[in-house]
């Protein structure tokens, strides 16, 4: 009985014994190992999430520090602007007080003069009366007593009238001066407000560029043409180029738009554009390699000192000056006067006028300013067309830096700060084509004479030749070794009359000439000491005129490029400067040549326009009328008409004739 019980107990508990050495009971240790592995896996995931969050936190802190720095800078700028506004208000108050005091003093003088006149009229002093004869009449002059005193009264009345008129003129003059001061203050406030808006927009652009860059870093998909990447074009006309000018994210434009921005940023424009310091001056080149010839090239003809240097308009004979209502012209007394100039129309715009260009028949003038291109009838001055791209949005500036009519007059090409070339159907007022490809602002456009091609120049160091039929382009890049360390943005382009050459002026002081068909660089013309802002071929195609921030123009003999086959050559050897045009007091921003080749005309930041004899480089006439930089000029292909665009928000049409 007891033995059976023992047997049953052993049978019941046999399953509890390990079946093999080292085997765990009930699988407990294996479950422990599995839990440990899963715990380690979760800890690794938590560690990775923590590291990712730490990296993102570091990026956020960096962005926050950048934003705080920019906000502090903006606060400082706003404080400066506020102080300036307060100073202007204080000045206005002082001027008003001074004016009121002067008016009070003038009124007191007027009252005193009236009182003296009244006293003199009420009591005649015996000494002043003539001796009386019989009957109380002057001796020997019967019946003239009344006439004598009537004449005396008339003289007193005339004197009172003259005094009153003089006081009224003085009062009107004071009121006019007060109104001018008030307008200056208003313009100053508007300029400050524009600058504040530009700075705020630039700060937003910088923040957006930073955000895009961070997102691209996280996504590991960098954008090659991001606004935060790539070289910048000067202006802000520019802040190198700056018309004028003026929001150029990568740089600035000509001092033209800029300096006077209300004035846009960018070349011609610029702007005149506020201007940054011009590029460092380069030593003058020799024009030829020393090994090319044992004989140095002849020195170019120079116009010498300007006749304006020692000019006194007050002593200038009337035949050498001409005055208009708000303009004047002086003619060189040292040479025979053969030119007459008159103002035809003054065309008011709402912003800086960055560019002007005539149609091929000379009947129309196109202008470019902020967001709009406008077309005027030359003879009447009537505005016939306004072109606006509504799809570009309505906020922020978008200055039209260049305009150009097609030879048949059906289309107008515009180049703007948004890096796009728009081809407008003028009759329909709609965009026919948009050419994209430039990476910075477009500063210059030129149609070929047959209308098949259009050339553009941009701050991205390239000119491009576009085919109007299919929109394809050929890139003419500035990539020579010495341009890599300097800003070589293209400010101006021109096509030779035969359509075979493209010339471009750039910020690195050089003028370059390419072969259109092959895209080969043929010439690199050096001689200017500062950025070249404008180039123009002569009508015969044998000469090229360039205008520079060094205040001069130069004539380059390029006839060697127009003869025969243009074989591969050394760009540094070839065309020479044969004439220097000197006389402007500030940057030369635009040049043009008359259709007959007789005149070279230039516009400058000194607000003047000068007519030069193209054969001698001597100034014939200096024209003044604009109140700010003359950013752009053009001569009508029909002859006898000049157009000017300025940072004073006006374009003007002038007529000129050559006298026998």
């Amino acid at each position: 009985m007891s033995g059976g019980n023992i047997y049953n107990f052993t049978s019941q508990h046999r399953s509890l014994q390990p079946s093999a050495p080292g085997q765990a009971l009930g699988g407990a240790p294996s479950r422990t190992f599995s839990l440990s592995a899963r715990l380690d896996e979760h800890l690794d995931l938590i560690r990775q999430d923590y590291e990712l969050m730490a990296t993102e936190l570091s990026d956020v802190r960096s962005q926050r520090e950048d934003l705080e720095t920019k906000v502090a800078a903006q606060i400082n700028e706003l404080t400066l602007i506020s102080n300036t506004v307060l100073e202007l208000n204080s000045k206005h108050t002082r001027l008003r007080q001074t004016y009121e005091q002067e008016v009070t003093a003038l009124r007191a003088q007027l009252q005193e003069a009236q009182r003296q006149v009244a006293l003199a009229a009420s009591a005649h002093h015996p000494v002043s009366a003539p001796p009386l004869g019989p009957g109380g009449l002057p001796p020997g002059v019967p019946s003239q007593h009344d006439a004598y005193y009537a004449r005396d009264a008339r003289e007193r009345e005339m004197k009172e009238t003259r005094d009153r008129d003089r006081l009224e003129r003085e009062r009107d003059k004071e009121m006019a001066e007060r109104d001018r001061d008030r307008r200056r203050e208003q313009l100053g406030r508007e300029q400050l407000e524009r600058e504040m808006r530009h700075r705020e927009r630039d700060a937003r652009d910088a923040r957006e560029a930073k955000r895009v860059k961070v997102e691209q870093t996280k996504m590991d998909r960098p954008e090659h043409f991001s606004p935060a990447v790539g070289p910048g074009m000067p202006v802000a006309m520019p802040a190198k180029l700056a018309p004028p000018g003026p929001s150029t994210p990568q740089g600035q434009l000509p001092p033209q738009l800029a300096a006077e921005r209300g004035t846009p940023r960018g070349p011609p424009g610029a702007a005149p554009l506020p201007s940054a310091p011009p590029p460092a001056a380069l030593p003058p080149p020799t024009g030829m390699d020393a090994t090319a010839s044992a004989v140095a090239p002849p020195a170019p003809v120079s116009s010498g000192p300007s006749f304006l240097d020692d000019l006194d308009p007050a002593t200038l004979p009337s035949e050498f000056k001409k005055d208009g209502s708000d303009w004047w012209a002086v003619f060189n007394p040292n040479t025979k006067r053969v030119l007459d100039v008159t103002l035809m129309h003054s065309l008011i715009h709402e912003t800086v006028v960055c560019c002007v260009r005539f149609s091929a028949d000379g009947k129309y003038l196109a202008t470019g300013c902020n967001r709009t291109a406008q077309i005027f009838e030359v003879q009447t001055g009537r505005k016939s067309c306004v072109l606006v791209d509504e799809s570009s949005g309505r906020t922020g500036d978008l200055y039209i830096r260049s305009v150009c009519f097609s030879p048949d007059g059906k289309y107008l090409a515009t180049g703007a700060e948004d890096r796009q070339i728009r081809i407008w159907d003028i009759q329909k007022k709609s965009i026919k084509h948009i050419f994209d490809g430039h990476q910075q602002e477009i500063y210059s456009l030129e149609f070929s004479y047959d209308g098949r091609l259009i050339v553009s120049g941009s701050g991205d160091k390239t000119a491009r030749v576009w085919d109007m039929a299919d929109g394809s382009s050929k890139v003419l890049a500035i990539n020579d070794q010495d341009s890599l360390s300097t800003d070589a943005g293209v400010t101006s382009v021109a096509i030779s009359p035969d359509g075979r050459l493209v010339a471009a002026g750039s910020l690195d002081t050089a003028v370059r000439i390419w072969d259109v068909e092959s895209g080969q660089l043929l010439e690199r013309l050096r001689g200017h000491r500062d950025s070249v802002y404008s180039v123009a071929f002569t009508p015969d195609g044998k000469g090229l005129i360039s205008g520079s921030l060094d205040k001069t123009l130069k004539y380059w003999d390029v006839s060697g490029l127009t003869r025969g086959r243009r074989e591969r050559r050394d760009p540094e050897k070839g065309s020479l400067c044969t004439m220097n045009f000197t006389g402007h007091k500030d940057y030369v921003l635009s040049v043009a040549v008359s259709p007959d080749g007789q005149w070279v005309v230039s516009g400058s930041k000194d607000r003047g326009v000068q007519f030069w004899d193209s054969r001698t480089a001597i100034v014939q006439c200096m024209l003044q009328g604009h109140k700010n930089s003359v950013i752009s000029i053009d001569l009508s292909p029909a002859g006898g008409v000049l157009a000017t665009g300025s940072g004073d928000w006006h374009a003007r049409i002038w007529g000129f004739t050559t006298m026998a």
Side-chain angles (χ1 to χ4, degrees):
M1 180 72 176
S2 60
N5 290 337
I6 293 174
Y7 174 79
N8 291 336
F9 177 82
T10 303
S11 301
Q12 292 172 2
H13 294 278
R14 187 174 296 162
S15 59
L16 299 179
Q17 303 301 318
S19 59
Q23 182 175 358
L25 293 176
S30 63
R31 284 198 302 271
T32 302
F33 176 78
S34 175
L35 291 174
S36 175
R38 293 177 62 187
L39 180 60
D40 290 341
E41 181 181 350
H42 286 300
L43 288 174
D44 288 339
L45 292 175
I46 293 171
R47 187 181 301 107
Q48 291 174 7
D49 290 342
Y50 174 79
E51 291 174 352
L52 180 60
M53 293 178 66
T55 301
E56 293 179 349
L57 179 60
S58 177
D59 291 341
V60 170
R61 286 175 176 170
S62 176
Q63 293 180 41
R64 178 181 177 184
E65 291 174 357
D66 289 345
L67 290 175
E68 288 176 347
T69 302
K70 291 175 181 176
V71 168
Q74 292 294 320
I75 290 173
N76 291 336
E77 291 178 359
L78 290 174
T79 302
L80 290 174
I81 292 172
S82 176
N83 292 337
T84 304
V85 171
L86 292 175
E87 183 179 351
L88 287 172
N89 286 333
S90 176
K91 182 179 179 182
H92 172 69
T93 302
R94 291 196 300 270
L95 288 173
R96 182 173 60 189
Q97 292 174 350
T98 303
Y99 168 76
E100 291 175 350
Q101 292 172 359
E102 292 177 353
V103 169
T104 302
L106 289 172
R107 285 175 178 167
Q109 293 177 14
L110 178 61
Q111 292 174 357
E112 179 64 20
Q114 292 173 344
R115 190 178 67 83
Q116 293 293 339
V117 169
L119 290 174
S122 61
H124 302 294
H125 200 280
V127 176
S128 64
L132 300 180
L137 297 176
V141 191
S143 304
Q144 291 186 359
H145 178 270
D146 294 340
Y148 178 89
Y149 285 103
R151 182 182 63 189
D152 186 58
R154 284 197 301 272
E155 290 177 352
R156 288 196 302 273
E157 184 177 8
M158 292 173 62
K159 184 176 183 301
E160 291 177 25
T161 302
R162 287 194 299 270
D163 291 341
R164 186 165 53 251
D165 291 342
R166 178 179 59 81
L167 291 173
E168 289 178 355
R169 285 195 300 272
E170 292 177 352
R171 182 180 60 190
D172 292 341
K173 181 179 178 181
E174 290 290 333
M175 294 179 66
E177 291 178 352
R178 178 185 178 188
D179 291 339
R180 281 197 298 271
D181 291 336
R182 186 179 301 154
R183 286 195 297 271
R184 290 193 189 101
E185 281 184 42
Q186 181 64 24
L187 289 174
R189 291 194 189 98
E190 293 175 355
Q191 178 69 17
L192 289 172
E193 290 173 358
R194 284 194 296 271
E195 291 178 358
M196 289 174 64
R197 289 196 297 269
H198 294 326
R199 290 187 178 116
E200 290 173 357
R201 184 194 57 207
D202 291 341
R204 288 195 303 269
D205 291 344
R207 291 194 296 270
E208 181 65 14
K210 178 69 176 177
R211 184 186 65 78
V212 171
K213 185 175 181 181
V214 171
E215 291 178 356
Q216 290 171 350
T217 301
K218 291 181 179 179
M219 297 171 63
D220 196 25
R221 290 191 298 135
E223 178 64 31
H224 181 64
F225 299 126
S226 167
V229 182
M233 173 70 173
V235 175
M237 154 190 185
K240 213 191 245 176
L241 267 184
S247 120
T248 303
Q250 281 86 29
Q252 306 109 7
L253 184 62
Q256 68 196 67
L257 287 177
E260 299 126 357
R261 179 97 144 135
T263 69
R265 306 154 297 286
L273 347 125
S275 51
L282 299 179
T286 61
M288 291 182 66
D289 195 312
T291 62
S293 173
V295 180
V301 174
S302 177
S303 57
S306 171
F307 78 93
L308 300 169
D309 291 343
D310 302 318
L311 180 67
D312 182 2
T315 61
L316 193 66
S318 59
E319 63 267 25
F320 291 108
K321 58 184 177 182
K322 185 173 183 178
D323 290 325
S325 58
D326 61 348
W327 63 275
W328 51 271
V330 293
F331 302 87
N332 191 346
N334 302 322
T335 187
K336 179 183 178 182
R337 177 180 171 183
V338 295
L339 194 69
D340 189 34
V341 184
T342 188
L343 177 65
M344 295 173 58
H345 305 292
S346 186
L347 311 175
I348 301 175
H349 291 65
E350 296 181 354
T351 67
V352 170
V353 181
C354 299
C355 49
V356 294
R357 184 66 68 91
F358 285 104
S359 59
D361 58 9
K363 295 181 179 179
Y364 298 95
L365 176 73
T367 64
C369 54
N370 191 13
R371 293 198 163 273
T372 66
Q374 305 178 40
I375 299 177
F376 298 85
E377 295 177 357
V378 171
Q379 289 302 318
T380 64
R382 185 181 72 87
K383 186 187 298 184
S384 62
C385 182
V386 177
L387 303 176
V388 183
D389 185 357
E390 299 292 349
S391 66
S392 63
R394 297 180 178 274
T395 60
D397 291 338
L398 183 60
Y399 278 87
I400 309 299
R401 300 294 188 187
S402 182
V403 293
C404 187
F405 283 97
S406 62
D408 60 9
K410 295 181 180 180
Y411 304 107
L412 183 74
T414 62
E417 292 181 331
D418 63 358
R419 314 170 189 179
Q420 289 186 333
I421 300 172
R422 294 171 174 84
I423 309 297
W424 297 83
D425 185 315
I426 297 175
Q427 185 175 7
K428 297 179 180 179
K429 297 183 181 180
S430 62
I431 298 174
K432 181 178 177 64
H433 300 297
I434 293 181
F435 295 157
D436 276 316
H438 280 297
Q439 300 174 31
Q440 290 195 31
E441 296 183 19
I442 297 164
Y443 292 117
S444 184
L445 294 172
E446 182 87 3
F447 269 101
S448 62
Y449 283 77
D450 59 10
R452 293 188 306 107
L453 304 175
I454 185 170
V455 177
S456 58
S458 167
D460 60 8
K461 295 188 179 183
T462 69
R464 287 181 179 242
V465 182
W466 304 84
D467 190 309
M468 284 292 293
D470 59 15
S472 62
S473 68
K474 181 182 299 179
V475 179
L476 309 176
I478 298 176
N479 50 19
D480 39 296
Q481 186 174 0
D482 58 354
S483 72
L484 300 179
S485 59
T486 60
D487 193 343
V490 175
T491 60
S492 177
V493 293
I495 303 180
S496 62
D498 61 7
R500 300 165 68 187
L501 303 175
V502 168
S506 73
L507 295 175
D508 67 352
T509 77
V511 178
R512 293 172 175 83
I513 302 177
W514 288 273
D515 182 273
V516 171
E517 183 177 354
S518 66
Q520 175 191 347
L521 178 65
L522 301 177
E523 297 268 330
R524 188 183 297 108
L525 309 177
R526 296 195 181 276
H528 282 294
R529 295 177 176 271
D530 210 334
S531 301
V532 178
Y533 265 41
S534 187
V535 292
F537 279 99
T538 57
D540 59 9
K542 297 180 180 179
L544 181 70
I545 305 293
S546 58
S548 167
L549 300 191
D550 64 9
K551 308 177 187 179
T552 72
L553 294 80
K554 291 183 182 292
Y555 175 93
W556 306 88
D557 181 0
V558 296
S559 57
L561 295 176
T562 62
R563 295 194 299 265
R565 177 173 170 267
R566 292 182 293 279
E567 68 281 353
R568 180 170 291 278
R569 55 194 291 159
D570 183 350
E572 301 296 340
K573 300 177 182 179
S575 303
L576 298 176
C577 172
T578 60
M579 279 191 291
N580 286 320
F581 301 72
T582 58
H584 276 296
K585 305 301 181 186
D586 212 326
Y587 304 146
V588 176
L589 302 177
S590 186
V591 299
V593 186
S594 62
D596 59 5
Q598 181 178 2
W599 303 111
V600 172
V601 185
S602 55
S604 168
K605 191 172 181 286
D606 63 14
R607 307 181 183 184
V609 176
Q610 296 197 21
F611 283 78
W612 312 77
D613 188 317
S614 64
R615 298 161 298 179
T616 62
I618 295 175
V619 177
Q620 167 72 200
C621 168
M622 193 275 287
L623 183 63
Q624 281 276 357
H626 285 292
K627 306 303 184 293
N628 210 320
S629 300
V630 180
I631 298 172
S632 177
I633 65 171
D634 193 31
L635 291 169
S636 170
V641 182
L642 164 72
T644 56
S646 170
D648 64 3
W649 300 12
H650 284 69
R652 293 193 173 204
I653 301 177
W654 311 81
F656 65 93
T657 57
T658 302
M659 302 182 295

